Amino acid sequence: MLTLLALGVLIAFVDRTSISSAMAEKTFVKHFDLSHLDRGGVNSAFFWSYGLMQMAMGWVVDRYGVKTPYTICFALWCLATALTGFTSTLMALVMMRVIVGAAEAVVMPASYRWIRNNFKEGQNGTAVGFFAMGNKFGPAIGAPVAAWLIVNYDWRMMFILTGVAGLIWLVPWVLLVKNDRLRGEAAVAQKAQAASVSLASILASPLVWGAMIVNFCYGYFTFYCMTWMPAYLVEERGLSLKSSGLYTCFSFAGIAIVALIAGWAADRIIARGGNAVFVRKAFVIAGFVGACTVLLGARAPSLEMALFWNVFSLSFLGLATANNLALTRLTLIPAPAVGLVTGVQQVATSLAGGVAASLSGWLLQVSGSYELPMFVIFVFLLIGALATWILLQPKWAPKVAQAAPATT
C-alpha cells in the first residue's frame, strides 16, 4: 500500500510538473503567445485550485476513507492532463491546469491519513521518506521524460501520453486496495470522531500556523525548481532542453535519496531514546540552512559550479523533507485530525507553489535575471529555519477531543 501511495504521488508530480518542460519549449510559448508573466500565471493556476480544495479533501478522507475519493480524483487529473494536449487557447490551457490542481488536492490528505493509521512513531520518518521519494522522483523522472517526448514528438503528444499512461496505476489500486470506508456503527463512530475535529480548534493552534510557515518556505524552493528550473537552465545557463531535463532529474533524485536516508537516520536515533521532536527539528533546520547554498549557484561564474550548487542545494534540503512532514503531520498531530490538518497545511504548501511560480516570473520580468528570484528563495529558507526552531513545539499542538495525546 505504501508503494502504491508513493507511485501515486510520483504520477501526480509528473503530471503537475510536465508543463515546466513545455514552458521552456519555444514552439509551445509561441503557440500561446506567452510572456514571462503569462508563464508564471499558467504555472500558478494549478496551485491556486490545488490549495483551494485542500481542506475539502481533508474533510472527505477523514469521513469517507482513502480509496474511493482517491480513485475518482486520480482518474480526473490524468484525463485533464491528456486533454491539455488538445488545447488551442490560453484559457483552455489554464482551465486544464485548474482541474489537475483541484483533483490532485486529495493526494496528501489521503496518503498521510493512511500512514498515520498504519505506522508507529519510530517508523514514521522512514515511511514518510519512502513516500516522499515519490513526490521528488516525480519531477526527477517527469522533467527528462517530458523533454524527450517534446523533442522527439511535440508538446501535445507529451501531455497526451503522460496523462494516459498514469491511468495504468488505477488497475492495481482498484484491485488490491481494500475499501477503508467503515460501515454501520463503526462508520457512525468514525464520523463522530472526525466531527470532534473542528477547523476552529486547528486554526487556534500556534503549532499549525508555524507548520504552515515552515511548509510554505520549504515549498517555495521546491516548487520554484519544479516550475522554473528547466527555463533557468536553458535561458540563463545555455543548456539544451534535454540537458536541462537531465540536471533537473539530478536535483530531485538527490533530494529524494537524502530524504529517505535522513528519515531513516532520525528514526534510528529516536528508537534509541532520542526525543522525537528535538531530533526531527534538528534535521529540518540543518536542511534549510544547507539549502541556502542555492545563492552560490545563482552567483557562480561558471556553468559547472552553477550546476553543482543547483543540485547540491536542493539535495541538501532533503534533510528536512521526511522529518518536517513526519513532525508537522504525524508526530505532533492527533490521529483524528490528520486529514484536516494536512489539508490546512497543504493550503500553505500550494500557496507557496502559486507564489513561487508567479512571483518568480514577475521578478524575472523586472530584473531580467534569475539572481533576484533565487535571492528570494534564500530569504524564505532562513525564515523556515527560524520558524522550525521557534514555533514547532508540542505544547502548541492542536487539542482534539477523544484523541490520543501527541508524541513528545
Side-chain angles (χ1 to χ4, degrees):
M1 180 67 174
L2 183 61
T3 300
L4 276 176
L5 290 174
L7 290 173
V9 76
L10 184 152
I11 294 168
F13 272 75
V14 167
D15 288 343
R16 79 175 59 175
T17 58
S18 58
I19 197 167
S20 300
S21 295
M23 289 292 185
E25 169 61 24
K26 291 181 179 179
T27 58
F28 179 86
V29 174
K30 183 178 180 181
H31 177 81
F32 292 102
D33 193 23
L34 301 174
S35 66
H36 290 319
L37 288 175
D38 292 332
R39 288 197 290 173
V42 172
N43 270 322
S44 66
F46 166 92
F47 295 103
W48 300 128
S49 62
Y50 182 75
L52 184 65
M53 292 299 295
Q54 283 297 320
M55 286 188 285
M57 290 299 183
W59 183 90
V60 168
V61 299
D62 277 344
R63 286 159 177 77
Y64 301 104
V66 171
K67 183 176 181 178
T68 301
Y70 206 153
T71 301
I72 295 170
C73 291
F74 193 99
L76 180 59
W77 90 62
C78 285
L79 291 173
T81 298
L83 288 174
T84 303
F86 296 95
T87 57
S88 58
T89 66
L90 179 58
M91 182 62 69
L93 176 64
V94 171
M95 182 57 63
M96 289 302 104
R97 298 307 296 170
V98 168
I99 294 172
V100 173
E104 285 195 12
V106 76
V107 175
M108 295 304 180
S111 300
Y112 282 106
R113 180 169 180 81
W114 190 89
I115 292 172
R116 178 66 173 83
N117 290 336
N118 289 275
F119 287 91
K120 299 176 182 179
E121 175 56 50
Q123 302 171 321
N124 281 341
T126 305
V128 173
F130 184 83
F131 171 71
M133 289 183 73
N135 62 30
K136 298 303 179 289
F137 272 111
I141 294 171
V145 168
W148 184 87
L149 288 171
I150 292 172
V151 170
N152 289 278
Y153 298 96
D154 60 17
W155 62 268
R156 293 183 181 278
M157 188 58 65
M158 181 272 291
F159 283 116
I160 294 169
L161 291 179
T162 53
V164 172
L167 291 170
I168 297 172
W169 178 89
L170 283 173
V171 177
W173 175 264
V174 172
L175 294 178
L176 300 178
V177 178
K178 295 181 180 180
N179 192 335
D180 55 336
R181 181 179 180 182
L182 300 177
R183 303 289 180 181
E185 294 183 2
V188 174
Q190 183 187 54
K191 290 182 179 181
Q193 190 179 47
S196 71
V197 183
S198 68
L199 181 60
S201 66
I202 289 172
L203 294 180
S205 167
L207 184 143
V208 170
W209 287 98
M212 291 175 70
I213 294 171
V214 172
N215 290 332
F216 179 93
C217 294
Y218 174 91
Y220 190 92
F221 185 18
T222 57
F223 286 126
Y224 169 85
C225 292
M226 289 179 195
T227 54
W228 282 103
M229 184 185 292
Y232 161 73
L233 294 175
V234 170
E235 298 169 1
E236 188 86 353
R237 294 298 178 177
L239 295 184
S240 66
L241 183 59
K242 278 189 175 180
S243 296
S244 73
L246 182 62
Y247 279 100
T248 302
C249 172
F250 290 158
S251 296
F252 281 99
I255 191 175
I257 294 168
V258 173
L260 181 61
I261 295 172
W264 174 86
D267 281 351
R268 300 287 69 76
I269 296 171
I270 293 168
R272 293 178 181 178
N275 180 276
V277 174
F278 178 83
V279 170
R280 298 204 192 281
K281 285 176 67 172
F283 273 88
V284 174
I285 292 171
F288 274 120
V289 173
C292 288
T293 53
V294 65
L295 203 56
L296 298 177
R299 297 178 175 177
S302 67
L303 173 63
E304 291 75 15
M305 289 304 297
L307 293 174
F308 171 79
W309 290 117
N310 213 43
V311 174
F312 179 88
S313 59
L314 188 60
S315 298
F316 209 96
L317 188 63
L319 290 178
T321 304
N323 287 294
N324 173 53
L325 296 172
L327 181 67
T328 60
R329 298 181 186 177
L330 304 176
T331 300
L332 294 168
I333 305 302
V338 169
L340 187 53
V341 168
T342 299
V344 171
Q345 292 180 15
Q346 281 296 111
V347 172
T349 304
S350 56
L351 180 63
V355 173
S358 54
L359 178 59
S360 297
W362 180 77
L363 292 172
L364 177 61
Q365 183 95 354
V366 299
S367 69
S369 168
Y370 282 88
E371 184 172 336
L372 184 56
M374 290 189 178
F375 178 78
V376 173
I377 293 171
F378 171 80
V379 172
F380 279 125
L381 290 171
L382 291 180
I383 294 173
L386 288 172
T388 301
W389 178 31
I390 296 170
L391 296 175
L392 300 189
Q393 299 189 39
K395 64 182 180 181
W396 289 332
K399 303 299 187 293
V400 178
Q402 303 176 1
T407 303
T408 58

